[in-house]
């Protein structure tokens, strides 16, 4: 597994922090600019079909790392 840490720098004022869906959209957009629309479509198809694993967190403060949680363990904690 590869883990990447990406640092974001605001060019202006923020009204809210980007969530993982916005970040994913931005990453796919940049991927399509570099490798082409067909490659980006193929990447998203493989993700949808679970042929490759990709996990992305929302923006978090520098120095913190997200803790993955299994859906089943979350259900056990809630009951």
């Amino acid at each position: 597994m590869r883990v990447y840490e990406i640092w974001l720098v605001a060019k202006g004022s923020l009204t809210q922090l980007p969530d993982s869906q916005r970040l994913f959209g931005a990453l796919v957009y940049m991927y399509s600019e570099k490798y082409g629309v067909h490659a980006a479509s193929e990447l998203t198809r493989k993700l949808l079909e679970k042929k490759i694993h990709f996990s992305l967190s929302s923006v978090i403060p520098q120095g913190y790392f997200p803790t993955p949680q299994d859906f089943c363990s979350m259900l056990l904690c809630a009951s």
Side-chain angles (χ1 to χ4, degrees):
M1 178 182 351
R2 294 183 191 159
V3 177
Y4 296 95
E5 180 180 6
I6 300 171
W7 294 36
L8 301 176
V9 178
K11 292 185 176 182
S13 62
L14 291 175
T15 57
Q16 70 183 62
L17 292 175
D19 61 13
S20 59
Q21 291 178 338
R22 287 183 191 266
L23 294 174
F24 180 75
L27 289 172
V28 171
Y29 177 79
M30 292 185 332
Y31 188 89
S32 71
E33 283 188 326
K34 182 166 178 115
Y35 299 106
V37 175
H38 178 71
S41 295
E42 185 68 16
L43 173 67
T44 54
R45 184 187 62 76
K46 287 180 181 178
L47 289 169
L48 182 63
E49 294 174 353
K50 299 183 189 302
K51 292 185 177 180
I52 56 176
H53 176 76
F54 181 79
S55 183
L56 179 66
S57 72
S58 297
V59 173
I60 54 177
Q62 182 179 346
Y64 289 84
F65 291 95
T67 304
Q69 296 181 5
D70 186 9
F71 180 72
C72 293
S73 66
M74 287 173 40
L75 286 177
L76 293 174
C77 291
S79 52

